[in-house]
Amino acid sequence: MGNQESIFSPQQLEAYQDCTYFTKQDIIRIFKRFKEIDPSRIQQSKMSNLHYCQSETLPADKLENIPELRENPFRRRILEVFSQDNSGDLAFDDFLNMFSVFSEDAPREIKAVYAFKIYDFDRDNTLNKTDLAKTLKTLTQKSRDQGDLVDGENIEQSALTETEENYILEQVLKEADLDDNNELSYIEFEHVVSRAPDFLTTFHIRI
Amino acid sequence: MSLPLKSDTKHLSESSLEQSTKKVKSILVHSSKVQHQRKSTRHQINLAFQKDCDIQSSSPDNVDGAKYIVSTFSSSIDVIANCNEAVDAETLKKENETNDFRLPSFKQRMQRMQCLTLRSFKAKQERAQQQVAQRVRTIIQLSETQSCINYTKRFLKGIKSMFDALIDLWYRLNFWSQQFREIEGHFGIATSTYFRFTRWLVNLNFMVFFLYLCFIYIPQLSYNNLSDYFTVVNDTGSGFFYNKMVLCSKSYKEKLTTRRANHHWLTFLDIAQGTGFLENTMLFYGFYSNLTVSLHNDFSSRNVKYNMGLGYLLTVGISFVVVFIMIVRKSSTTIKETVMDFDNTAYPLYTNAVFGGWDYCINSEKMSVYKQRIIYNEFKATLWEVKMKKKRENRSTREKSKLYLKRLIINLVVLALLVGSFYTIYLTTDYLIKNQTENLSEFNFLMVNYLPSIVISILNAIVPEIFWALSKVEEYSNSFATHITIVRAVFLRLSSVWVLVVSLYYRLHYKGRKPMDCPEENMYNVTRCCGNTLWESIIENDKLERRTVKCWESYVGQQFYKLCITDFMSVTLIVLSIKIPRRIIHHHLQHRIWVIKKLGRAKFDLPLQVLDIVYSQTVCWMGMFFNPLLPALTFIKVFYFFFLKKFELLSVAEAPQIAYRASRSYSFFQTVLLVSFIIITCLLGYMIGNLKPSMSCGPFRVYSSDEFVMFDVVTNEINSWPTVPQKIVRYFETAAFYVPAFLISLLSIYYYLAVTAGYKKMEELLKEQLKSEAHDKQFLLARVDEIIKRGQWRQED
C-alpha cells in the first residue's frame, strides 16, 4: 500500500473515486496500464499535479493498440469521443473517464450518452441515415490489413447487400424514430436503448 | 415573442428578421425540450447537447441566444461549483455578472459536460448527504450527547472502512474476474453468462453446505462419543416402538460391520457403491441418530436439548426455502427483460442488433472476426425469417395440412422416444433390485449397480441430438425450434431422475418378499420388516448378507451417490476421450479428409451445457435428504466443472455460429433451474408426508405411533408446546386459513395484472402524444416561415 499514496494525493484519489465507478485499487491499476502504453511520456512523479493529469496526452495511434481496444471496430470513434478536442489523444483523466463509463457499474443513462456520441459519426448530434449506415457497415465488415485466413480456415469477406442494408436501416428508424423526421435525436436513442436488453451487457469493457 | 407588424416591415432589416426567427426557433426548441424533462439531470444533459448545438451553429453576434443559454446554464452552477478539476466557479459567476459575455472555450465546455454527466449521477447525492451531515455535525457539537454519538459514528466508520478493505482484498485476489476476463475476451459475454451461472451455483451449494454444517454435521459429530443407543424423544406410547427400534438397529449394525476379507479391491468397490464402510459414515442418512441430547454443563444447570430428527427435517426444509428465494431473486432481475421478448411489437429487434450488437469486451483477433460473422449471420437469419414468414402466410391450405401432419407425426415420435427412455430406466432399476439379493460375483454386482446411472447418462447424451435433428424437419422458425428442442431435452433429463425415484419407490415399498427372520416381533402380516421390504436374502451367505437392504433411505441415497459419481465421470470422460481427440484429428487431418472438415470442431453449445449443470444440481437437490454430505460433494463437483468447461471452451471448442443473447440466456437458465427445483420439492414433500421411515437407521427411527411418517416429528414437537401457540399453529392447518389466503393471493395477482395493463395503455398514449407534439412543432415552424416570407414579400413590394 506504500507507493499507492505517492502517485496521487489523497484528495485526488477521493475525487477520482467520487467521479468514477472505480475503487482506489482499480484506479492505481488503470494508471499502471496507462503508463505502460508509453512509459517515456508519462512521469509518475508529476501525477499529483492536477493540471498534468489533464493535459499530458498519449497519441491516438498508441492508444488504439491496447488489447482492450485493438479489436474494436469503433475504437477510433471511442478515442475521439473521450478526448478533449476530438483528436483521439487521451490524458489520464480522459482515460479513466473512458473506462469508468465502460465499467460494469456505470448506469444505463451514462452509457447511452456516450454510445450516442460514438455512433454519431458526423458529430451533428443526431443519428441520421448515414450515421446508421456507417455503424452497420462497421459492424459487419471489418477492414483487414492481412489476408483473410485465420487459423487455417478461409473466411470469406461477405457483406450485406444494398437492399438488405436499407431494409435494416428502415426497420431501425421505424422502431426508434418517434417523431418521424428520419433521424434519431438523443432522446429517441435513449428511449429505444433502454428497452434493448443487450445494450447494457455488451457496452462494457473489462480492464 | 413579438412578430413584426405590418407597419414596421419597411424598417426591418434582413438580419433582424433572421434574429427573430432564430429566437422563435430557439424558444420553440427549448419548450419542447422542457416537456421531455423527466429528471433534472436528464434535462441538464439535454441542455448540454442543445447548448453545444446552438453554440456551434450560432454566430458570435447572437448575444441574445447566448444569454438565454447562460441563464439556463446558471441554474446548474452548484453542480459545476464542485468540479474540482474543471472550471472555476468563481470565474463563471463573474462571467455571468458582467455584461461583457464571452463564450467559454470548447475545451471548457467539454469539461463541463463531462463533469455534468459524471457528477450528476454520483456526486450530487454525496454532496447533499455531506451537507446534511455537516449540519448535523454542527448541531451535535452543541449538544450534550456529543461524545456518545461521536464514538458511535467513529465506530461505524471504522466498520465501514474495514468492509471496504475486505472487499478491496477480495478483488485483489482477482480470482474470478481473471477467469471471466479470459472467457469474455475470447468468446464474448453470452458464453460467459454460462460461467457466471456456474459460479452462482457454486455459491448456492456452499450456502446449503454451511447450513448443513451448522445444524446437522456438528451435532452428529458431537454425539459420537456417546453410547451406541440413544435417549429417545419423550413421546407417549413410544416404549413399544423403542424396543423394536433397538432390535432393528442392532441387526443393521451387525450387517454393516460383518467381517470379511480385507481386499483393496473390495474397498474400492465399497467406495464406488457407497456400501460397506462408507455406508456407516456421515455420507448417508443411515448414520444419523435419533438423539435428543441433554448436555449438563458444569457452569450452568440448563439442559441443552437438540432433537436430531427435528433438526434434520427443518434444516432440509430451510435450505430448500433459501435456495428457492435465491433463485426467484435472481430470475426477477432478468425476467423484466425477458418479458419484453414476448411483446413482439415493442421489442426493438433491429435496434438491439445494431446498437447492442458489438461486444466491447472482445480482445482477441480471432474472436472479433467470429463476432462479425455472428452479427452478419444474425442479420441474414433475421432477414431470412422475414422472408419465411411472408412465405408461411402465403402457404396454401394443402401445404399447411401436410405440414401439420408432419408435425403431429414428429411429436408422436418424440413422445415415443421419451416413453421408451423412461421404460428403459424403469427396467434397469427393476433389474437392479431383483438382482440385489441374487448370487452374483462382485464385479457383476458392481455393473448391475451402476446400470441405471449409466443408462441415464447414455440416454441424456444421445436423445437430445435426435430431438435436434427432428426439429429441423418440423420447419419451425429458428428460435422456436431451439426452444422446443430445449424443452424436450429438459423434460427428458429431469424426468429420468424422477423415473428412477419412482421405480425405486415402487419396488421398495410395494413389492417385496416376505421376510423369514424379522428381528422385531412379527406384528405385521405384510412384507415389511423394520420398515424395509428387502430385509432378507434367500440364500444365507456371508457375502450376500451385505447386499440386503436393511435401510431403504440409505439405499436410495446410494443410488444418488452413484448418479453423482457417474455424472462426474461421464462429463470428464466425454471431454477427455471425445472432444480432445476430435480437436487433434481436426487440426491435423482437416485438409486431407473432407468429411472431417465438414464435421468441423466441437461446438460449445450453450443450452446443452446448461442442461448438464442443471442436471448435476437436480441430482444434488433430490439426494440432499438422503445424502447429507451431497451438497459438499456437489460444491466440489460444480467448482471442478467450471474449470473443466473453461478448459474445454478455450482449447477444444469453437465459437457457436448462432448468437445467443446474453440476457435471454441467463433468464432461460434460471427458468430451467426453477422448474426442476419445484418438481423436486413436490416429490420430496410427498415422501416426507407419506412414507414410513426405517426403524433401523436414521434420525426418525422411533415411531411414535403406528402410522408414523417423517413429518410426525414436527407434529409431535408442536404437540408438546403450551396450548396457545399450539392453537395458533393448528389454525394454519385448517381451511379457515387456506381459503382466505388463496383468495387474497388471487386478488392481488389480478390487481397487478390490471395495473400492468393500465401502464401499457399509458405507454401507447404517451407515444402518440410524443408523435403529435413533434408534428405540432414542425407545423408551427412551417407557419412561422410562411409568415416571415409573407412579411419579406410585403417588404419588397
Side-chain angles (χ1 to χ4, degrees):
Chain A
M1 289 264 192
N3 52 352
Q4 163 194 341
E5 302 299 332
S6 62
I7 304 178
F8 296 109
S9 63
Q11 295 96 339
Q12 255 187 318
L13 272 178
E14 281 293 324
Y16 279 144
Q17 223 176 349
D18 276 346
C19 235
T20 66
Y21 298 99
F22 288 129
T23 62
K24 289 187 181 142
Q25 298 292 333
D26 289 327
I27 295 172
I28 304 291
R29 201 161 38 89
I30 292 176
F31 170 69
K32 293 210 166 81
R33 291 295 310 278
F34 187 67
K35 202 168 127 189
E36 273 169 27
I37 298 173
D38 192 353
S40 54
R41 278 175 78 140
I42 303 295
Q43 290 157 324
Q44 183 161 327
S45 50
K46 284 198 187 168
M47 287 311 283
S48 14
N49 183 350
L50 276 173
H51 183 70
Y52 185 77
C53 281
Q54 292 163 29
S55 60
E56 188 65 29
T57 60
L58 288 181
D61 312 312
K62 289 235 168 88
L63 283 166
E64 266 187 355
N65 285 325
I66 59 174
E68 284 85 1
L69 289 182
R70 190 173 42 206
E71 300 299 329
N72 198 326
F74 296 107
R75 56 186 179 274
R76 198 74 215 195
R77 278 301 300 156
I78 294 176
L79 290 175
E80 284 171 14
V81 159
F82 282 98
S83 65
Q84 288 165 9
D85 50 1
N86 269 338
S87 65
D89 304 327
L90 298 185
F92 177 66
D93 263 16
D94 311 317
F95 191 76
L96 192 64
N97 186 25
M98 174 168 78
F99 281 107
S100 158
V101 167
F102 277 116
S103 74
E104 250 177 333
D105 303 320
R108 198 189 285 272
E109 293 92 1
I110 283 228
K111 293 196 181 200
V113 168
Y114 282 97
F116 183 77
K117 284 196 244 179
I118 290 175
Y119 294 134
D120 187 10
F121 282 84
D122 50 10
R123 287 189 242 139
D124 59 354
N125 274 321
T126 55
L127 297 178
N128 49 23
K129 247 191 168 172
T130 39
D131 289 328
L132 294 174
K134 258 204 195 144
T135 312
L136 192 60
K137 266 212 176 59
T138 333
L139 270 181
T140 54
Q141 238 180 347
K142 202 169 157 188
S143 60
R144 301 210 64 78
D145 303 321
Q146 56 270 43
D148 293 335
L149 279 149
V150 177
D151 192 30
E153 298 168 20
N154 206 345
I155 299 181
E156 320 93 49
Q157 207 54 0
S158 36
L160 296 168
T161 66
E162 277 288 323
T163 36
E164 288 173 341
E165 264 193 35
N166 277 334
Y167 180 76
I168 294 176
L169 293 176
E170 258 171 67
Q171 290 297 316
V172 170
L173 283 173
K174 203 164 81 166
E175 284 170 0
D177 192 12
L178 295 172
D179 54 7
D180 289 340
N181 56 357
N182 269 344
E183 54 186 22
L184 297 182
S185 70
Y186 171 71
I187 300 154
E188 291 161 348
F189 176 79
E190 207 231 343
H191 180 242
V192 82
V193 133
S194 68
R195 287 180 303 143
D198 287 339
F199 174 72
L200 205 58
T201 42
T202 54
F203 201 76
H204 154 55
I205 296 181
R206 202 184 271 277
I207 184 164
Chain B
M1 63 188 190
S2 56
L3 293 172
L5 297 173
K6 199 170 173 183
S7 53
D8 294 343
T9 51
K10 291 185 187 158
H11 306 290
L12 285 172
S13 61
E14 226 176 25
S15 59
S16 60
L17 271 174
E18 273 185 16
Q19 267 188 24
S20 39
T21 321
K22 280 193 182 133
K23 212 176 177 179
V24 164
K25 274 191 178 160
S26 69
I27 290 172
L28 275 178
V29 161
H30 171 62
S31 66
S32 69
K33 291 290 178 208
V34 168
Q35 282 168 11
H36 292 301
Q37 177 179 353
R38 264 177 268 169
K39 292 180 196 174
S40 63
T41 52
R42 196 157 289 148
H43 179 50
Q44 283 166 354
I45 293 170
N46 292 338
L47 279 183
F49 275 113
Q50 194 52 41
K51 269 180 303 209
D52 233 358
C53 221
D54 278 53
I55 290 171
Q56 282 175 3
S57 59
S58 65
S59 57
D61 296 331
N62 194 351
V63 183
D64 289 352
K67 267 204 172 144
Y68 141 71
I69 287 163
V70 169
S71 59
T72 49
F73 195 70
S74 57
S75 61
S76 37
I77 271 216
D78 42 335
V79 176
I80 297 162
N82 281 301
C83 284
N84 301 343
E85 298 135 21
V87 178
D88 185 9
E90 297 303 316
T91 54
L92 187 61
K93 276 199 179 127
K94 278 192 208 138
E95 276 173 6
N96 270 346
E97 281 152 22
T98 61
N99 277 333
D100 181 18
F101 182 75
R102 254 186 302 258
L103 292 168
S105 70
F106 184 70
K107 189 171 170 188
Q108 282 175 317
R109 267 182 274 127
M110 280 306 287
Q111 280 174 338
R112 268 184 226 164
M113 198 150 56
Q114 276 178 339
C115 238
L116 278 176
T117 51
L118 282 174
R119 306 287 185 151
S120 315
F121 291 101
K122 244 189 158 193
K124 226 183 175 184
Q125 280 115 356
E126 296 252 73
R127 235 175 303 111
Q129 276 174 5
Q130 274 169 20
Q131 280 174 3
V132 170
Q134 184 66 41
R135 263 184 242 145
V136 170
R137 240 177 273 147
T138 46
I139 292 175
I140 284 173
Q141 271 165 10
L142 300 173
S143 74
E144 289 172 344
T145 54
Q146 163 186 350
S147 53
C148 180
I149 293 182
N150 266 354
Y151 283 140
T152 328
K153 282 181 110 185
R154 255 188 270 157
F155 178 65
L156 288 174
K157 234 189 189 174
I159 288 195
K160 184 170 181 293
S161 63
M162 192 175 71
F163 264 128
D164 280 343
L166 274 177
I167 293 178
D168 256 352
L169 185 70
W170 176 247
Y171 281 133
R172 260 248 209 106
L173 288 179
N174 231 353
F175 176 60
W176 287 118
S177 55
Q178 195 192 342
Q179 312 293 326
F180 282 117
R181 211 176 306 159
E182 266 187 74
I183 297 171
E184 278 167 8
H186 281 87
F187 283 91
I189 277 221
T191 316
S192 85
T193 51
Y194 168 76
F195 289 93
R196 273 174 222 268
F197 181 68
T198 313
R199 174 183 65 168
W200 179 75
L201 277 181
V202 167
N203 291 341
L204 194 68
N205 279 322
F206 182 74
M207 268 205 321
V208 171
F209 165 69
F210 185 71
L211 266 177
Y212 268 51
L213 184 74
C214 293
F215 295 107
I216 298 186
Y217 302 158
I218 291 182
Q220 181 63 36
L221 283 176
S222 67
Y223 294 166
N224 277 344
N225 38 6
L226 302 170
S227 70
D228 251 340
Y229 304 134
F230 341 87
T231 63
V232 83
V233 177
N234 191 11
D235 285 326
T236 54
S238 61
F240 169 66
F241 292 106
Y242 182 73
N243 293 334
K244 268 206 203 148
M245 182 272 293
V246 169
L247 289 169
C248 292
S249 308
K250 213 167 165 185
S251 173
Y252 178 59
K253 270 278 171 18
E254 275 171 13
K255 170 210 154 175
L256 281 182
T257 53
T258 318
R259 286 261 140 248
R260 67 187 193 286
N262 208 355
H263 290 156
H264 292 297
W265 166 242
L266 293 177
T267 323
F268 168 72
L269 273 185
D270 277 339
I271 294 180
Q273 293 174 46
T275 51
F277 81 96
L278 209 59
E279 194 171 342
N280 199 20
T281 59
M282 265 170 52
L283 185 57
F284 292 108
Y285 166 101
F287 176 72
Y288 293 84
S289 27
N290 176 35
L291 222 34
T292 308
V293 178
S294 317
L295 292 171
H296 297 281
N297 288 335
D298 282 334
F299 24 83
S300 84
S301 54
R302 274 185 304 136
N303 290 350
V304 174
K305 272 193 174 181
Y306 189 80
N307 186 345
M308 188 66 195
L310 191 61
Y312 195 90
L313 204 57
L314 285 184
T315 312
V316 173
I318 289 177
S319 53
F320 268 79
V321 167
V322 162
V323 167
F324 181 67
I325 290 176
M326 284 196 64
I327 294 181
V328 167
R329 243 185 47 171
K330 231 354 164 65
S331 15
S332 68
T333 52
T334 49
I335 210 109
K336 285 180 209 156
E337 295 170 347
T338 326
V339 164
M340 284 194 279
D341 271 3
F342 290 177
D343 186 0
N344 277 325
T345 52
Y347 183 68
L349 182 68
Y350 291 91
T351 330
N352 192 36
V354 170
F355 293 128
W358 183 261
D359 202 343
Y360 282 66
C361 251
I362 294 174
N363 56 15
S364 90
E365 185 184 319
K366 229 184 348 173
M367 186 55 202
S368 69
V369 174
Y370 273 133
K371 185 72 181 174
Q372 275 180 317
R373 292 216 74 212
I374 289 174
I375 295 178
Y376 171 74
N377 283 338
E378 195 179 325
F379 276 125
K380 277 274 194 219
T382 321
L383 293 171
W384 188 78
E385 291 262 343
V386 168
K387 243 191 285 176
M388 280 291 119
K389 206 168 165 195
K390 280 203 193 115
K391 201 174 105 176
R392 241 178 277 149
E393 283 160 12
N394 296 340
R395 250 189 226 139
S396 66
T397 345
R398 188 156 173 264
E399 277 180 14
K400 264 193 194 167
S401 51
K402 245 199 329 188
L403 188 67
Y404 287 151
L405 191 66
K406 236 198 285 182
R407 284 187 190 163
L408 186 67
I409 294 177
I410 288 185
N411 276 323
L412 287 175
V413 167
V414 163
L415 203 62
L417 269 175
L418 283 173
V419 169
S421 332
F422 296 157
Y423 191 61
T424 322
I425 298 173
Y426 170 72
L427 277 181
T428 49
T429 320
D430 213 24
Y431 185 68
L432 163 70
I433 293 185
K434 263 196 219 141
N435 284 320
Q436 183 68 28
T437 48
E438 296 287 335
N439 193 4
L440 289 173
S441 79
E442 294 287 351
F443 184 71
N444 286 347
F445 193 60
L446 177 72
M447 283 296 114
V448 167
N449 257 323
Y450 264 92
L451 200 57
S453 336
I454 294 180
V455 163
I456 289 181
S457 293
I458 294 178
L459 284 175
N460 281 341
I462 298 181
V463 178
E465 305 287 336
I466 303 181
F467 286 159
W468 187 249
L470 283 178
S471 73
K472 296 222 171 87
V473 183
E474 281 177 312
E475 280 186 43
Y476 285 123
S477 67
N478 233 355
S479 52
F480 190 70
T482 326
H483 282 150
I484 208 165
T485 314
I486 291 170
V487 165
R488 288 174 183 155
V490 163
F491 194 62
L492 171 76
R493 285 209 138 183
L494 296 185
S495 316
S496 48
V497 177
W498 190 64
V499 166
L500 175 74
V501 168
V502 166
S503 34
L504 279 176
Y505 166 76
Y506 189 60
R507 296 292 282 152
L508 287 178
H509 277 261
Y510 282 135
K511 285 193 182 171
R513 256 177 272 117
K514 184 159 195 244
M516 292 185 284
D517 200 6
C518 235
E520 54 184 288
E521 296 169 24
N522 211 348
M523 280 269 311
Y524 308 107
N525 213 2
V526 293
T527 58
R528 187 174 292 273
C529 198
C530 289
N532 288 294
T533 54
L534 286 177
W535 190 263
E536 279 296 318
S537 61
I538 295 181
I539 304 171
E540 276 292 341
N541 194 335
D542 188 31
K543 176 163 69 176
L544 294 175
E545 177 68 20
R546 275 185 298 116
R547 294 195 194 159
T548 54
V549 176
K550 296 202 170 163
C551 179
W552 66 265
E553 293 99 341
S554 281
Y555 185 69
V556 173
Q558 279 165 1
Q559 305 308 315
F560 281 110
Y561 174 75
K562 281 181 238 170
L563 269 181
C564 183
I565 290 192
T566 320
D567 188 36
F568 176 81
M569 295 264 93
S570 69
V571 169
T572 318
L573 277 176
I574 285 180
V575 169
L576 286 179
S577 59
I578 298 184
K579 304 227 168 130
I580 292 185
R582 187 173 169 182
R583 170 88 172 94
I584 296 177
I585 294 175
H586 184 264
H587 189 66
H588 288 179
L589 293 180
Q590 66 171 323
H591 293 297
R592 283 187 243 152
I593 306 179
W594 176 83
V595 176
I596 292 185
K597 186 171 180 181
K598 194 77 176 6
L599 278 179
R601 288 162 66 177
K603 294 194 184 22
F604 193 79
D605 210 7
L606 263 186
L608 296 179
Q609 299 291 341
V610 168
L611 286 182
D612 271 342
I613 282 268
V614 169
Y615 174 71
S616 315
Q617 195 59 46
T618 314
V619 164
C620 168
W621 285 335
M622 278 230 77
M624 216 158 69
F625 187 80
F626 304 104
N627 280 5
L629 218 47
L630 204 56
L633 285 178
T634 317
F635 168 70
I636 298 174
K637 191 167 84 163
V638 176
F639 196 75
Y640 164 78
F641 275 170
F642 183 91
F643 290 100
L644 183 71
K645 292 290 174 183
K646 181 170 166 256
F647 166 72
E648 184 191 330
L649 183 72
L650 291 179
S651 13
V652 168
E654 76 169 345
Q657 291 297 324
I658 314 171
Y660 289 108
R661 302 216 175 89
S663 56
R664 255 207 229 160
S665 311
Y666 212 88
S667 56
F668 159 69
F669 303 161
Q670 298 292 336
T671 319
V672 171
L673 202 64
L674 190 64
V675 164
S676 53
F677 179 78
I678 290 180
I679 295 179
I680 289 168
T681 322
C682 297
L683 279 176
L684 264 183
Y686 173 75
M687 191 207 69
I688 291 179
N690 269 333
L691 295 182
K692 288 197 178 177
S694 310
M695 280 192 185
S696 52
C697 54
F700 304 108
R701 297 176 213 211
V702 183
Y703 286 20
S704 59
S705 70
D706 223 13
E707 291 299 321
F708 182 74
V709 284
M710 292 184 198
F711 194 71
D712 282 351
V713 175
V714 177
T715 325
N716 292 339
E717 174 65 24
I718 295 180
N719 281 340
S720 65
W721 287 350
T723 335
V724 173
Q726 215 186 101
K727 271 210 175 136
I728 296 176
V729 174
R730 290 255 172 260
Y731 172 70
F732 286 126
E733 289 180 12
T734 58
F737 170 71
Y738 279 122
V739 170
F742 182 62
L743 283 179
I744 290 176
S745 343
L746 275 184
L747 278 177
S748 48
I749 291 177
Y750 182 70
Y751 166 74
Y752 280 116
L753 280 176
V755 164
T756 318
Y759 279 140
K760 265 206 188 127
K761 258 205 180 140
M762 195 163 82
E763 190 189 325
E764 296 290 330
L765 284 175
L766 284 174
K767 256 196 245 178
E768 289 301 319
Q769 201 178 355
L770 265 176
K771 268 206 178 118
S772 58
E773 277 177 9
H775 284 296
D776 283 346
K777 182 173 76 174
Q778 283 175 356
F779 172 73
L780 280 174
L781 282 176
R783 293 285 293 162
V784 164
D785 266 343
E786 199 186 318
I787 290 174
I788 289 172
K789 278 206 190 97
R790 233 184 285 152
Q792 265 181 321
W793 293 334
R794 296 233 177 81
Q795 182 205 351
E796 280 163 14
D797 286 345

